């Protein structure tokens, strides 16, 4: 039975208990959210290394990091380093989007080593095995999906919502179909003159997912690739189909989340989230960005984190990170770090804005350390402690500066916080507020860095840091 079926049967599973512990929520609340399809616990029965987590709008906002190779670059060791970097910097899930060589060993190694859920897009492997998109058969698709389910993949992007009748709606677009899965399936439908095989075989896919408790991530193959195409007829026609498929998956006892755009102007982001929640009966929304402007290649972790913050504020449950390499090249380790920092900021900002219990305690604790000139505490509390420490030490590296009442930004004479404190000590201003009890707050477990949204994450990441060694195996083996 899947987590959804067990929840419906009033069973509180070990995964639900673990999730409740992490989120500081009542187990019955977790169970009810899963039973109603309002949250998912992606947890394939075969993923032994998994520490379960939950995705839903009533829980802390999650962040996904995409990793994976391409024909041009990366190998097994490089992919595991990316996984390690993603987990270290706070990814709540990872998606292996490999399209190059060694798909099976890379996927198996990712599942074996990953404490967070692993997602895939099986149409990529189907294309590699068929040789070209139009050569994919229904049998091959189901075979690939079943194999990946047996390998322990926790959730899969299935672009079943792109239908033949939707394709003419993209004709007037500025950037056509930009989703890889969407474009592959559109080509398949045009060449074969048949309906999307992921749609026609959807109930069979449901049965595979049910057997292994794989969660659907219903792909938005017609997502807009630029601001001009946002919120158009094609995007919303596909969304209606995704709503229908959500209910079909639920009928089969399978967990579902729904993917969303893409490129969306800031003023349309909240409407997009609210529309998905309405059409898909509250199934968790998993958004890629969205990018709120098209003009900044090289900085799209920023353009998209702005949209992601707004999406999280409006009710999106998980944010798929975008790295500075978006539109330009395959991300490397440092790009993964930059993308995750941007998205953890977005997720946390959304949690603070939504009044998530304990979320702002982290901000308050860091601000108090900052005002107290407790530099080491400020570094430890920082979202990226290594970055904060390194930037500070570029100009003031000595231990004697660890308690200095200034930094090099304003200098000793113009440090406004020192001037303010001196004035208060002289009795010219009222006392500052009491200290935040971070240790007693939810933030200590839920948000305090470097744990991301996982109270177990810190231990896991430290264990990985201590024990992880690059495998000797390569994709050529
Ligand atoms: S010098 Fe300026 S930036 Fe540095 S601690 Fe003082 S007020 Fe803050």
């Amino acid at each position: 039975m899947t987590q959804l079926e067990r929840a419906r049967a009033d069973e509180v599973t070990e995964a639900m208990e673990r999730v409740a512990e992490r989120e500081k929520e009542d187990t019955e609340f977790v169970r009810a959210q899963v039973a109603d399809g309002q949250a998912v616990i992606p947890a394939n029965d075969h993923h032994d290394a998994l520490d379960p987590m939950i995705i839903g709008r009533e829980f802390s906002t999650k962040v996904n990091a995409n990793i994976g190779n391409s024909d041009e670059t990366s190998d097994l060791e490089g992919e595991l380093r990316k996984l390690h970097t993603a987990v270290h910097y706070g990814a709540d899930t990872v998606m292996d989007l490999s399209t190059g060589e060694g798909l099976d060993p890379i996927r198996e190694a990712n599942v074996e080593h990953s404490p967070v859920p692993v997602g895939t897009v099986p149409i990529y492997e189907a294309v590699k095995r068929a040789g070209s998109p139009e050569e994919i058969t229904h049998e091959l698709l189901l075979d690939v999906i079943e194999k990946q389910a047996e390998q322990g993949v926790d959730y899969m992007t299935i672009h079943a919502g792109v239908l033949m009748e939707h394709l003419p709606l993209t004709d007037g677009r500025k950037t056509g179909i930009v989703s890889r899965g969407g474009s592959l399936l559109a080509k398949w439908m045009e060449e074969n003159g048949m309906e999307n095989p992921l749609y026609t075989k959807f109930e069979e896919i449901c049965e595979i997912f049910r057997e292994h408790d794989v969660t659907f991530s219903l792909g938005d193959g017609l997502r807009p690739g630029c601001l001009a195409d946002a919120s158009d007829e094609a995007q919303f026609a596909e969304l209606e189909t995704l709503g229908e498929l959500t209910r079909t998956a639920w009928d089969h006892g399978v967990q579902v989340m729904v993917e969303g755009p893409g490129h969306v102007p800031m003023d349309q982001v909240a409407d997009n989230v609210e529309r998905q929640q309405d059409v898909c009966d509250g199934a968790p929304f998993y958004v890629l960005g969205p990018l709120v402007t098209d003009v900044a290649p090289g900085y799209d972790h920023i353009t998209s984190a702005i949209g992601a913050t707004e999406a999280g504020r409006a009710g999106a449950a998980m944010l798929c990170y975008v790295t500075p390499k978006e539109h330009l090249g395959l991300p490397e380790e440092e790009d993964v770090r930059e993308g995750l920092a941007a998205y953890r900021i977005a997720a946390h900002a959304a949690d603070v804005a939504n009044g998530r219990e304990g979320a702002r305690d982290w901000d308050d604790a860091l601000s108090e350390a900052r005002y107290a000139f407790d530099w080491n505490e400020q570094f430890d509390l920082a979202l990226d402690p290594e970055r904060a420490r390194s930037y500070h030490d570029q100009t003031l590296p000595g231990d004697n500066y660890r308690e200095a009442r200034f930094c090099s930004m304003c200098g000793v004479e113009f440090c406004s916080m020192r001037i303010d404190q001196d004035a208060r000590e002289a009795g010219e201003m009222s006392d500052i507020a009491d200290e935040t009890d971070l240790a007693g707050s939810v933030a200590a477990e839920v948000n305090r860095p470097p744990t991301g949204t996982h109270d177990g994450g810190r231990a896991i990441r430290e264990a990985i840091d201590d024990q992880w060694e690059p495998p000797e195996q390569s994709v050529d083996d």
Side-chain angles (χ1 to χ4, degrees):
M1 288 170 75
T2 65
Q3 294 289 331
L4 174 57
E5 290 174 309
R6 290 177 177 186
R8 284 174 177 166
D10 282 337
E11 180 186 347
V12 174
T13 63
E14 279 183 27
M16 292 172 206
E17 285 178 357
R18 176 68 181 131
V19 161
E21 181 187 18
R22 285 183 157 185
E23 301 274 342
K24 298 287 179 278
E25 286 286 359
D26 183 64
T27 51
E28 173 52 26
F29 180 72
V30 171
R31 187 206 61 76
Q33 285 284 301
V34 174
D36 290 344
Q38 307 300 292
V40 295
I41 300 177
N44 187 312
D45 299 332
H46 311 297
H47 188 175
D48 296 334
L50 181 71
D51 193 5
M53 50 79 76
I54 193 164
I55 302 165
R57 69 181 175 283
E58 296 300 325
F59 301 94
S60 57
T61 309
K62 304 303 190 297
V63 173
N64 171 70
N66 290 337
I67 55 177
N69 73 356
S70 70
D71 273 337
E72 280 68 37
T73 179
S74 200
D75 54 19
L76 179 56
E77 183 180 327
E79 288 311 309
L80 281 175
R81 285 197 180 281
K82 280 187 213 164
L83 168 67
H84 174 248
T85 303
V87 174
H88 179 80
Y89 287 109
D92 295 294
T93 76
V94 293
M95 289 198 77
D96 176 2
L97 303 187
S98 294
T99 56
E101 295 304 310
L103 295 181
D104 281 318
I106 287 174
R107 188 180 312 115
E108 286 165 358
N110 278 334
V111 170
E112 183 187 344
H113 289 87
S114 179
V116 302
V118 175
T120 59
V121 186
I123 189 85
Y124 297 170
E125 181 181 350
V127 172
K128 292 290 286 186
R129 280 172 53 177
S132 63
E134 61 274 21
E135 299 298 324
I136 295 173
T137 63
H138 294 82
E139 293 71 29
L140 174 61
L141 260 181
L142 292 174
D143 186 49
V144 167
I145 289 169
E146 185 158 31
K147 181 191 67 176
Q148 294 195 6
E150 288 168 353
Q151 287 172 329
V153 171
D154 300 289
Y155 67 96
M156 295 187 207
T157 296
I158 301 292
H159 298 92
V162 190
L163 303 185
M164 290 182 84
E165 67 191 61
H166 299 153
L167 300 183
L169 303 176
T170 64
D171 285 348
R173 281 183 160 185
K174 228 180 238 311
T175 57
I177 300 174
V178 298
S179 153
R180 276 192 275 186
S183 63
L184 292 168
L185 286 159
K187 183 166 176 55
W188 189 95
M189 287 186 268
E190 282 162 358
E191 294 288 331
N192 291 287
M194 289 192 282
E195 188 54 274
N196 180 348
L198 292 172
Y199 181 79
T200 55
K201 292 291 180 184
F202 191 74
E203 299 207 41
E204 288 173 56
I205 299 170
C206 284
E207 285 311 308
I208 295 171
F209 278 25
R210 181 171 177 271
E211 185 180 346
H212 304 280
D213 200 358
V214 178
T215 298
F216 273 109
S217 186
L218 292 176
D220 55 334
L222 299 182
R223 67 168 174 263
C226 64
L227 297 193
D229 297 342
S231 308
D232 71 354
E233 214 181 335
Q235 182 194 330
F236 288 149
E238 183 189 29
L239 180 61
E240 291 293 329
T241 308
L242 296 181
E244 170 205 323
L245 295 169
T246 296
R247 289 178 280 280
T248 302
W250 284 342
D251 289 344
H252 285 262
V254 179
Q255 303 187 90
V256 186
M257 55 185 170
V258 177
E259 296 184 14
H263 292 239
V264 179
M266 189 80 157
D267 59 299
Q268 297 175 24
V269 172
D271 285 349
N272 267 264
V273 176
E274 286 157 18
R275 188 176 191 131
Q276 180 275 341
Q277 288 287 281
D278 183 40
V279 171
C280 300
D281 296 337
F285 201 21
Y286 166 26
V287 293
L288 174 68
L291 286 72
V292 294
T293 174
D294 302 334
V295 301
Y299 296 94
D300 279 334
H301 58 315
I302 297 173
T303 61
S304 62
I306 293 168
T309 307
E310 175 71 351
R313 194 200 57 74
M318 184 156 78
L319 314 173
C320 181
Y321 88 161
V322 172
T323 78
K325 284 276 186 65
E326 184 74 10
H327 302 113
L328 302 171
L330 192 71
E332 298 298 332
E333 279 180 73
E334 189 59 20
D335 306 310
V336 170
R337 175 183 182 172
E338 295 286 337
L340 272 167
Y343 272 70
R344 287 192 62 212
I345 293 167
H348 179 64
D351 286 346
V352 170
N354 288 337
R356 183 86 53 217
E357 187 183 349
R360 216 199 67 192
D361 290 350
W362 178 10
D363 302 77
D364 293 348
L366 191 142
S367 295
E368 284 162 14
R370 178 176 286 154
Y371 193 70
F373 294 106
D374 187 342
W375 292 99
N376 283 328
E377 179 73 356
Q378 188 181 162
F379 300 150
D380 286 347
L381 284 168
L383 181 127
D384 184 343
E386 297 151 36
R387 170 71 58 90
R389 185 172 282 108
S390 137
Y391 278 14
H392 174 268
D393 290 356
Q394 279 175 8
T395 48
L396 300 175
D399 284 346
N400 51 322
Y401 290 116
R402 285 290 189 265
E403 294 177 2
R405 299 180 71 212
F406 68 99
C407 74
S408 63
M409 181 169 173
C410 320
V412 64
E413 189 179 358
F414 290 97
C415 177
S416 57
M417 291 202 302
R418 180 191 60 75
I419 294 167
D420 178 77
Q421 288 174 24
D422 288 349
R424 288 175 194 280
E425 280 169 17
E428 295 164 19
M429 299 166 78
S430 57
D431 288 342
I432 59 171
D434 289 339
E435 283 194 5
T436 302
D437 177 18
L438 184 66
S441 99
V442 176
E445 300 289 345
V446 177
N447 282 321
R448 187 171 181 180
T451 58
T453 53
H454 295 180
D455 68 344
R458 182 173 213 152
I460 291 163
R461 282 185 260 287
E462 285 173 356
I464 290 174
D465 283 342
D466 290 345
Q467 298 167 14
W468 191 81
E469 291 178 8
E472 292 176 3
Q473 181 187 11
S474 81
V475 293
D476 300 325
D477 291 342

